[in-house]
Amino acid sequence: MEAFTGQLKQVLRRLWRAPMFTCITLITLAVGIGANTAVFSVVDGVLLKPLPYPHPKELVGLWHVAPGLNLGGDINMAPSNYFIYREQNRTFRDVGLYGGDSVSVTGAGEPEQVRALDVTDGLLPVLGIAPLLGRTFNAAEVKTGGPDTVILTYGYWQRKFGSDRSVVGRSMTIDGKPHQIVGVMPKGFQFLDWEAPALILPLQFDRNKTTLGMFSYEGIARLKPGATMAEANSDVARMIPTVWESFPTPPGFSAELFKKARLGPNVRPLMRDVVGDVGKLLYILMGSIGMVLLIACANTANLLLVRAEGRQQELAIRSALGASRGRIGGELLLESIVVGLSGGVLGLALAYGALRLLVAIAPAGLPRITDIGINLPVLFFALGVSLLASLLAGCIPVLKYAGARMGTSLREGGRSFSQGRERHRIRNILVVAQVGLAFVLLICAGLMLRTFSALTHVNPGFEPGGVQTLRLTIPEAEVKDDEKVVRMQEAIMSKIAVIQGVSSLGFANSVPMDGGQWHDPVFAQDRNYAEGEMPPLRLFKVVSPGQFHTLGVPLVAGRDFTWAETYERLPVGIVSESFARAYWGSPANALGKRIRVSSKDDWREIVGVAGDVHDEGMNKDAPTIAYWPVLLNRFESDMVHVSRTVVFSVRSPRAGSEGLMKEVRQ
């Protein structure tokens, strides 16, 4: 131990006496180790850390495929599937459905619109999360007409009720109706990767009135002990025909239409639903940043090699005086380890700062952002990378100057300080390795920048700059009449329109890229369909007059909706340019054509064609979209159809300012 302590003191003394070498080496290693540690922290938080639920590997997402619809994506859950899967499965402990919501809370201070999570009674038990106070929902509360109840999340309980533990049993007004508070969720509750909701509400279904379709919910199940993913998929495939036989079709649709969709199972780990496709990108990034570490190691090895060559005479004399190869090699390696660990500490500090910045800017599309940080696995990784870098950088000087040639170095050193070809060889190899790795990185970076540049030049189809959006719900408990809902929404528009700086506004059930997805088939009157044939599904949006102008979506043919035809409920519609070209070859040819959703719906005349909008992201093709007025008769088998939850779009140079939002709230 004394010998090791003495060697360590000598190493530290030599490094202190060579500040330029020490600083350059530490910075080189710190960049490589810090970059790898930061990326590994992201990989660990997003991909490796299990979901925050008991036995997370048992949790699965319930999805379907439907090749007959040519939708190109997953199909989620319908109430009809939920009932059969829950009652007749052989591989699940339980099944739950959920969906996002936005509700109005009144009667307790300032009125507010808050995010909510709608769930069936089995969803929270499936996750294995028990409330901090009270209980979860029971079977009676998830039936249509059942008691109106609510569960508070921890943050909302703290903010709205001051952490009052007697809150369970009280009533609060949600969407104009009193709801009894039955529970409070624990502090650490996180639902998948969703933004924290304020309230959890029961999804209420009437089994006797359930029809096929309405694939508008997402499902989670917990596998029974020993059940595999393959068995779960086979189990769902077995139950799908039972679903078709157990429930009637919606008005205007035939059972043959649903069978032609060829619905199949796609049960998969719940982690995949949370992470999505980002895993592949993160592993590619990890491999790329690993090359940065190799370049740093090669650079450090070169620096250590030059430093060892400067000590060649000293090492030769020590060897001649009897110092063993192990002692000389150990000292050289110790110097490398000290440098590597010091660089690791500095790199860990750089990684911490980089992660703080990453979490602060919270890039869109990166899941589990709150799980990213410096934890024990990340610290072990940083230690391992530091030791690996030390060994990679230090092994070359050790092999070169602690070997058998050490005894001849004293004689060589007396002739000349000029280095021969052999002495240059290792350093040349390291330089070649650095250049090669850097060249690969430059190619990858160039391709990435080229892709980024291409995406920035894609026209999104709308102009998001200068647009403020806000979501608002008019609950049925407050306004029952459907037409009055739309008149109230128009009145809200009129009040916002007089705010200083507002140039235009409109509203819709969703805005581009907000994740609002509503797909259904569209039949064209001038097309012949075989019996049971299902046309491709199209994205549906309900829009008010002025919404296209506010978002900057051009009308390439025809005109916008008018308020007069909206209130008269005239059967009209607007389609996207890609929709028009797919059906009739050009936007102009689409005008005057008629479309509908089901045989019970009115045929609707196309009065306009809107430009294509990249609603699902810049890296995906613009979807074909059907736009409908905000008030409709005989639509999707409803006698009257109205959207009570809408997103207002306000174009103003003050968009994004708290001043504008304050005036809007007032």
Side-chain angles (χ1 to χ4, degrees):
M1 179 59 70
E2 291 181 4
F4 172 77
T5 304
Q7 282 187 332
L8 181 60
K9 289 180 179 179
Q10 291 179 10
V11 167
L12 293 175
R13 190 179 299 115
R14 281 195 296 268
L15 292 175
W16 180 260
R17 290 176 178 174
M20 185 64 69
F21 163 80
T22 303
C23 289
I24 293 175
T25 306
L26 289 181
I27 292 173
T28 301
L29 283 176
V31 171
I33 295 171
N36 278 267
T37 302
V39 173
F40 176 79
S41 180
V42 176
V43 171
D44 175 66
V46 175
L47 303 179
L48 304 182
K49 185 182 293 184
L51 295 176
Y53 311 115
H55 309 292
K57 292 185 178 180
E58 296 177 353
L59 294 172
V60 297
L62 297 177
W63 296 87
H64 303 88
V65 294
L69 297 180
N70 298 316
L71 188 58
D74 295 319
I75 306 296
N76 43 21
M77 287 281 288
S80 54
N81 296 72
Y82 161 72
F83 285 120
I84 296 301
Y85 295 174
R86 197 178 192 195
E87 297 164 358
Q88 301 187 22
N89 81 84
R90 300 170 183 170
T91 55
F92 305 132
R93 291 185 184 181
D94 203 353
V95 176
L97 291 189
Y98 65 91
D101 203 351
S102 178
V103 297
S104 300
V105 178
T106 55
E110 287 292 323
E112 58 180 341
Q113 190 85 7
V114 299
R115 292 183 179 272
L117 174 67
D118 299 332
V119 302
T120 57
D121 59 316
L123 195 281
L124 295 177
V126 160
L127 294 178
I129 303 296
L132 173 69
L133 302 174
R135 59 172 176 83
T136 59
F137 302 123
N138 57 40
E141 292 163 349
V142 295
K143 293 181 180 178
T144 301
D148 291 316
T149 53
V150 61
I151 297 175
L152 311 179
T153 56
Y154 189 88
Y156 190 77
W157 173 58
Q158 277 193 318
R159 176 173 65 85
K160 199 74 174 179
F161 296 94
S163 301
D164 185 356
R165 300 184 70 87
S166 64
V167 71
V168 175
R170 293 187 196 174
S171 179
M172 60 184 298
T173 304
I174 302 172
D175 284 347
K177 297 172 66 177
H179 286 64
Q180 184 185 26
I181 300 171
V182 298
V184 177
M185 296 305 292
K187 184 177 182 180
F189 173 71
Q190 171 69 37
F191 185 71
L192 305 185
D193 195 45
W194 286 31
E195 182 179 339
L199 307 173
I200 302 177
L201 298 166
L203 270 175
Q204 296 183 328
F205 297 124
D206 186 341
R207 197 185 195 290
N208 296 324
K209 296 181 179 179
T210 298
T211 62
L212 297 177
M214 285 187 64
F215 290 90
S216 305
Y217 304 94
E218 298 182 46
I220 296 176
R222 185 177 287 274
L223 295 175
K224 290 181 177 178
T228 65
M229 207 66 63
E231 291 171 343
N233 276 288
S234 298
D235 194 21
V236 171
R238 173 187 63 82
M239 292 185 286
I240 288 175
T242 306
V243 176
W244 301 149
E245 298 166 1
S246 302
F247 294 92
T249 59
F253 292 89
S254 67
E256 196 64 26
L257 278 176
F258 287 92
K259 293 178 181 178
K260 285 289 183 72
R262 305 202 306 277
L263 194 71
N266 186 17
V267 181
R268 61 201 188 199
L270 186 62
M271 175 67 89
R272 192 185 305 175
D273 289 342
V274 176
V275 174
D277 296 330
V278 77
K280 296 177 182 178
L281 297 176
L282 287 180
Y283 282 125
I284 291 173
L285 180 60
M286 193 73 199
S288 301
I289 213 70
M291 291 187 183
V292 174
L293 179 64
L294 292 177
I295 293 173
C297 289
N299 200 357
T300 303
N302 231 333
L303 292 170
L304 291 173
L305 189 59
V306 171
R307 179 170 170 78
E309 286 173 353
R311 297 178 56 200
Q312 183 176 354
Q313 291 285 19
E314 173 202 339
L315 297 175
I317 292 172
R318 291 179 59 187
S319 178
L321 292 176
S324 65
R325 298 177 188 172
R327 183 177 179 84
I328 294 174
E331 187 174 321
L332 292 173
L333 189 59
L334 180 61
E335 182 177 5
S336 175
I337 291 175
V338 169
V339 171
L341 292 178
S342 301
V345 172
L346 184 57
L348 195 61
L350 292 176
Y352 177 77
L355 291 174
R356 289 288 298 271
L357 179 63
L358 176 68
V359 173
I361 61 177
L366 183 60
R368 307 186 71 184
I369 191 75
T370 56
D371 291 329
I372 297 173
I374 303 296
N375 52 22
L376 196 59
V378 174
L379 290 176
F380 278 123
F381 175 83
L383 177 61
V385 169
S386 300
L387 292 174
L388 177 63
S390 302
L391 294 174
L392 289 176
C395 65
I396 295 176
V398 169
L399 293 174
K400 184 172 178 62
Y401 290 105
R405 293 185 65 258
M406 209 61 195
T408 64
S409 296
L410 189 59
R411 296 192 299 272
E412 292 178 358
R415 297 172 188 166
S416 174
F417 286 104
S418 63
Q419 298 178 343
R421 180 179 300 176
E422 183 179 352
R423 191 170 294 176
H424 277 293
R425 185 178 301 159
I426 296 178
R427 291 170 59 185
N428 289 340
I429 291 173
L430 289 173
V431 171
V432 170
Q434 285 179 270
V435 172
L437 290 170
F439 188 65
V440 173
L441 276 179
L442 283 173
I443 292 175
C444 295
L447 292 173
M448 185 172 62
L449 288 173
R450 181 179 177 184
T451 302
F452 176 76
S453 176
L455 288 175
T456 59
H457 285 85
V458 174
N459 181 8
F462 64 103
E463 299 174 8
V467 176
Q468 175 77 55
T469 63
L470 54 134
R471 188 176 298 271
L472 189 68
T473 299
I474 300 177
E476 188 174 3
E478 294 185 4
V479 182
K480 293 186 179 296
D481 183 75
D482 293 320
E483 182 173 325
K484 191 174 180 181
V485 169
V486 179
R487 292 194 179 276
M488 184 176 290
Q489 290 166 339
E490 186 189 9
I492 291 171
M493 282 181 58
S494 300
K495 289 190 175 184
I496 297 175
V498 300
I499 294 176
Q500 182 182 2
V502 174
S503 58
S504 66
L505 69 162
F507 64 86
N509 66 312
S510 70
V511 292
M513 301 188 193
D514 70 349
Q517 299 294 309
W518 172 18
H519 293 86
D520 267 319
V522 177
F523 293 85
Q525 192 177 31
D526 60 349
R527 294 285 184 93
N528 293 320
Y529 298 93
E531 184 178 354
E533 181 181 354
M534 174 77 82
L537 271 66
R538 310 297 180 185
L539 181 62
F540 279 17
K541 286 186 179 291
V542 174
V543 299
S544 75
Q547 177 72 352
F548 293 117
H549 175 66
T550 301
L551 292 181
V553 178
L555 287 169
V556 296
R559 60 172 177 84
D560 194 359
F561 297 130
T562 66
W563 282 113
E565 66 191 2
T566 298
Y567 289 123
E568 292 176 21
R569 307 182 196 183
L570 298 181
V572 293
I574 294 174
V575 299
S576 66
E577 183 176 356
S578 57
F579 189 119
R581 293 188 186 281
Y583 274 73
W584 301 286
S586 72
N589 291 338
L591 298 178
K593 299 296 191 296
R594 303 213 294 172
I595 55 177
R596 70 179 180 185
V597 181
S598 77
S599 60
K600 296 293 184 180
D601 291 358
D602 289 341
W603 286 108
R604 304 184 184 279
E605 181 183 350
I606 297 174
V607 297
V609 177
D612 287 333
V613 173
H614 287 265
D615 194 89
E616 298 169 351
M618 303 298 290
N619 59 334
K620 296 183 179 180
D621 293 335
T624 53
I625 306 177
Y627 298 95
W628 311 104
V630 294
L631 186 62
L632 298 153
N633 277 350
R634 291 176 293 280
F635 181 76
E636 292 221 312
S637 305
D638 293 334
M639 287 304 296
V640 180
H641 183 92
V642 66
S643 294
R644 291 179 174 270
T645 299
V646 296
V647 183
F648 286 87
S649 302
V650 182
R651 181 165 291 279
S652 169
R654 300 169 60 200
S657 68
E658 182 57 32
L660 174 63
M661 285 306 300
K662 183 178 180 180
E663 292 185 51
V664 168
R665 292 190 190 100
Q666 291 173 344

